[in-house]
Amino acid sequence: MNHQLLETGSMVGARKRFVLSNLSAPDTMVDLAAGQGWGLKGKRRQQTLFCLQGSVWVTQECDIRDYVLEEGDAFMVTLPGLVLVRALTPARIGYAESMMLEPFRGRFSQTVFN
């Protein structure tokens, strides 16, 4: 199985990690100044945002909840429509179109363990 380990560092030296299965790197990386916004529109379900540095506020259309991501957090888009991100502090976000580069074309088998 192909796994990419993406490490992020913080100002206090703590390290958080993402394990991105079947993904070589986020498709897009965006640096945001505090207060700056970024958005996506369209059918974005199952796509993922990663907070690589700083902290960001995330909201998606038709979802009454808002989300705050800090360094090391990820958010999977669950609804179609507009997704807005605003940096609460200077931040870097990563965006992955899909966690799976190719659909699974193998076979599943069942094994029973005693």
Side-chain angles (χ1 to χ4, degrees), residues 28-48:
T28 303
M29 296 196 12
V30 179
D31 290 318
L32 299 170
Q36 186 176 9
W38 184 77
L40 300 165
K41 190 169 185 175
K43 295 180 181 177
R44 301 288 178 176
R45 290 167 62 177
Q46 306 305 313
Q47 296 173 0
T48 307

Side-chain angles (χ1 to χ4, degrees), residues 19 52 66 87 93 96 103 106 112:
V19 176
L52 303 173
D66 291 338
I93 58 172
V112 177

Side-chain angles (χ1 to χ4, degrees), residues 18 20 48-51 67-76:
F18 298 113
L20 307 176
T48 307
L49 293 168
F50 303 96
C51 183
Y67 305 89
V68 173
L69 305 182
E70 295 185 350
E71 183 176 326
D73 292 339
F75 174 80
M76 182 172 283

Side-chain angles (χ1 to χ4, degrees), residues 8-15 71:
T8 62
S10 72
M11 291 186 275
V12 293
R15 292 180 102 47
E71 183 176 326

